[in-house]
Amino acid sequence: MNNPNCRQMTYSHESRTTSRRRFLTAAGGAVLSLPWLESFAGTCRAGDSARSPVRLAFFYLPNGITRRGFFPGEGDRKLPTFAGQNNVWRFEGQKAPVGSHPLTFSPTLEPLHPMREKLTLITGLDRQFQQGTDSHAQAASCFLTSVAPYEVKNSAYPLARTLDHIAADVISQDTPYSTLELSCNDHQNNIESIYFDNMSWYGTGHVAPSMRNPRKVYDRLFGTQQNARVRNITDLALENARRLKRRLSSGDRRKFDEYFEAIRTIETRMDRIDSLKSELVAGDIDRPADHLPRNEYIHLMGDLLVTALQTGLTNVGTLMVGPERWTTPTNWEGILDKPQSHHAMTHAPHEHLEDLFKLDRFHVSAYARLLERMDGIIEADGRTMLDNTIFTLGAGMGDGTTHQYNDLPVVVAGGGGGTLKLGQHLHCNPGTPLANLWLTQLHALGIERDQYADSNGTLGEILA
């Protein structure tokens, strides 16, 4: 259950009690965590109130974005040529002045329009590049870092404990998993170091490695490692589920069915992917067998993240939709007509502009899809799951061609439990550190700090 104040509930005539994370258990040790159900609200101890956890999540875009499709007012931006290491670029055309403005939606951001009242577009945020490494290496690995450039001695990376773990130390203390780190990198060739494929760090030099395989993520979350012969956890837990369902209200029965259907859908999609991979290996097809269908893969990993947050398995998660600077061509089924290297495409936007627009829009639509799903989940306090979450989309570079570390693309969605002001476009003063946003999010989560990395204040315009 997702009420952190509710420690016990009764769900059978035998008065069996369980903690709020008591799992629906079946034979063989398979477990299935439940969402909040109003039918158990009356079983909390006297004095407990209905309160849902506040969550923090990140949806990371590798290799930057194509600015003229993403940023409002930059549709006529001149296409740059590859510029090498970190550069500072300022668009001199039409752009919103500093301050808060009504939201407008560029072609890339258009999939977010249905969620416009529950998100804020933030532009103008900068990061400082520490000389000594590749731009891509710092882009992902240092996106959430808590240390200012050059403060860590004898390290080429300005890396310390990242924001997700700092927040988890407070808001995810009672969850089975403190954090969840996911990456949609299905390549088996490790052509880059860990800094290109991980954004979460316990501390300097201590990576929190991203999980790439959805089956392994599923096994970790739902404890199915010991049930290899029986694939579906919903089958294992179904008998206990039926006994529980008889004691639910009509509204909870619908919520219960929706939740089980979501789990079943994840299982079905994983089985479909496994089957396709087997066919690719067995057939004489000119296509690498280690590549999963891209749409299916990214959506599935996103669903696993949302389900883990919904059921209280963790309150903090990160999802990289791909690795930085990986040059291996990727099959973008349903989006591009042939395998492409996203990184290589960003270096030649004049040749690949329309395909870059398609990829950026797909990534934003995948994020929008998760927002819509979260906004349809009602929690114990009457808010939606999205209302109780801070879910940030962003990239470590402001443009994939220029490799700029200034004017980064950022969208913050979710109300943080009522602590954030949404439905606006906030354009910051040039030079405003990205760390100001991270400090603001910590304050929204009730975690008081005077400074975060190289921050020089908070973004008061987005605090409710």
Side-chain angles (χ1 to χ4, degrees):
M1 308 297 286
N2 274 346
N3 182 354
N5 293 324
C6 181
R7 299 301 177 189
Q8 289 191 328
M9 68 179 184
T10 302
Y11 70 91
S12 73
H13 294 306
E14 290 79 17
S15 299
R16 296 167 60 192
T17 60
T18 180
S19 72
R20 72 181 182 90
R21 288 188 182 82
R22 174 78 185 191
F23 297 136
L24 194 63
T25 307
V31 293
L32 186 61
S33 176
L34 294 176
W36 179 82
L37 300 172
E38 63 182 9
S39 301
F40 297 125
T43 64
C44 296
R45 295 195 304 256
D48 285 343
S49 59
R51 188 181 67 188
S52 298
V54 179
R55 307 171 184 88
L56 183 69
F58 300 91
F59 191 94
Y60 183 82
L61 307 177
N63 304 313
I65 45 82
T66 304
R67 296 187 62 88
R68 65 154 60 175
F70 186 97
F71 285 85
E74 293 197 21
D76 59 347
R77 175 186 172 98
K78 182 179 179 181
L79 283 177
T81 56
F82 174 58
Q85 289 290 80
N86 170 57
N87 290 269
V88 175
W89 289 70
R90 300 288 182 193
F91 179 59
E92 302 301 331
Q94 178 185 2
K95 200 165 190 178
V98 171
S100 298
H101 306 278
L103 270 172
T104 58
F105 290 87
S106 63
T108 299
L109 293 178
E110 194 275 335
L112 291 172
H113 188 268
M115 303 303 301
R116 59 193 176 277
E117 295 181 357
K118 296 201 173 184
L119 59 85
T120 288
L121 171 66
I122 304 178
T123 54
L125 295 176
D126 296 355
R127 292 176 62 205
Q128 183 180 349
F129 178 72
Q130 177 174 307
Q131 298 296 329
T133 69
D134 178 81
S135 296
H136 286 279
Q138 285 186 45
S141 64
C142 301
F143 187 64
L144 301 178
T145 188
S146 60
V147 67
Y150 303 104
E151 284 193 5
V152 178
K153 305 304 179 185
N154 302 317
S155 173
Y157 295 85
L159 256 181
R161 194 168 181 82
T162 47
L163 180 67
D164 51 336
H165 293 285
I166 290 173
D169 290 341
V170 177
I171 69 171
S172 210
Q173 285 183 328
D174 299 327
T175 58
Y177 301 104
S178 177
T179 59
L180 181 64
E181 297 82 26
L182 304 179
S183 173
C184 298
N185 178 5
D186 57 343
H187 301 301
Q188 301 300 315
N189 54 334
N190 294 320
I191 60 174
E192 302 287 8
S193 72
I194 59 174
Y195 296 96
F196 294 82
D197 195 30
N198 294 281
M199 62 183 296
S200 181
W201 300 78
Y202 299 117
T204 304
H206 299 285
V207 66
S210 300
M211 300 185 70
R212 307 179 184 186
N213 186 309
R215 179 71 65 182
K216 291 181 179 179
V217 175
Y218 183 84
D219 288 344
R220 177 184 175 188
L221 294 179
F222 299 115
T224 57
Q225 296 96 325
Q226 299 177 358
N227 301 278
R229 288 182 298 176
V230 186
R231 296 289 296 253
N232 295 327
I233 191 173
T234 37
D235 288 336
L236 294 172
L238 200 54
E239 187 57 38
N240 278 351
R242 291 194 182 98
R243 291 199 296 268
L244 173 64
K245 186 176 176 180
R246 289 196 294 267
R247 295 166 176 80
L248 300 180
S249 67
S250 59
D252 276 349
R253 288 185 181 185
R254 183 173 60 254
K255 185 184 299 184
F256 191 88
D257 288 339
E258 290 172 352
Y259 172 67
F260 257 70
E261 182 59 30
I263 299 295
R264 176 69 77 189
T265 299
I266 289 173
E267 292 173 335
T268 301
R269 289 162 69 187
M270 285 192 299
D271 286 337
R272 189 183 309 132
I273 287 174
D274 286 349
S275 175
L276 176 58
K277 288 182 68 176
S278 298
E279 294 172 5
L280 291 173
V281 172
D284 184 15
I285 303 174
D286 186 18
R287 179 180 173 199
D290 57 321
H291 292 326
L292 304 180
R294 201 68 188 162
N295 298 23
E296 198 77 16
Y297 185 26
I298 292 176
H299 290 329
L300 177 54
M301 294 293 266
D303 285 343
L304 287 165
L305 173 62
V306 170
T307 299
L309 294 171
Q310 177 191 4
T311 57
L313 290 171
T314 187
N315 288 335
V316 180
T318 57
L319 173 61
M320 294 181 65
V321 299
E324 290 281 353
R325 210 182 71 171
W326 230 265
T327 57
T328 308
T330 298
N331 291 284
W332 299 90
E333 293 86 352
I335 305 171
L336 306 183
D337 58 5
K338 64 180 180 180
Q340 296 273 16
S341 165
H342 184 202
H343 173 238
M345 291 167 62
T346 63
H347 285 198
H350 296 82
E351 301 174 28
H352 302 287
L353 183 61
E354 292 304 317
D355 283 347
L356 287 169
F357 283 158
K358 290 177 183 178
L359 287 185
D360 287 346
R361 184 181 173 96
F362 166 68
H363 289 151
V364 171
S365 67
Y367 172 67
R369 174 182 171 276
L370 298 180
L371 299 186
E372 293 178 17
R373 178 184 167 190
M374 294 167 71
D375 200 44
I377 298 171
I378 306 300
E379 299 200 295
D381 57 3
R383 295 188 176 109
T384 71
M385 180 182 171
L386 183 60
D387 294 333
N388 289 321
T389 304
I390 301 175
F391 196 0
T392 303
L393 173 145
M397 293 190 295
D399 186 276
T401 305
T402 64
H403 292 67
Q404 65 189 77
Y405 268 42
N406 64 298
D407 203 8
L408 302 176
V410 175
V411 176
V412 176
T419 60
L420 293 183
K421 191 182 301 182
L422 305 169
Q424 60 179 319
H425 173 191
L426 174 63
H427 184 58
C428 303
N429 279 302
T432 301
L434 175 66
N436 283 15
L437 173 61
W438 303 151
L439 182 63
T440 303
Q441 293 191 357
L442 288 177
H443 287 189
L445 295 171
I447 303 171
E448 293 299 324
R449 289 176 60 135
D450 295 330
Q451 191 170 14
Y452 188 88
D454 59 346
S455 67
N456 58 18
T458 58
L459 305 182
E461 296 89 343
I462 68 171
L463 286 173

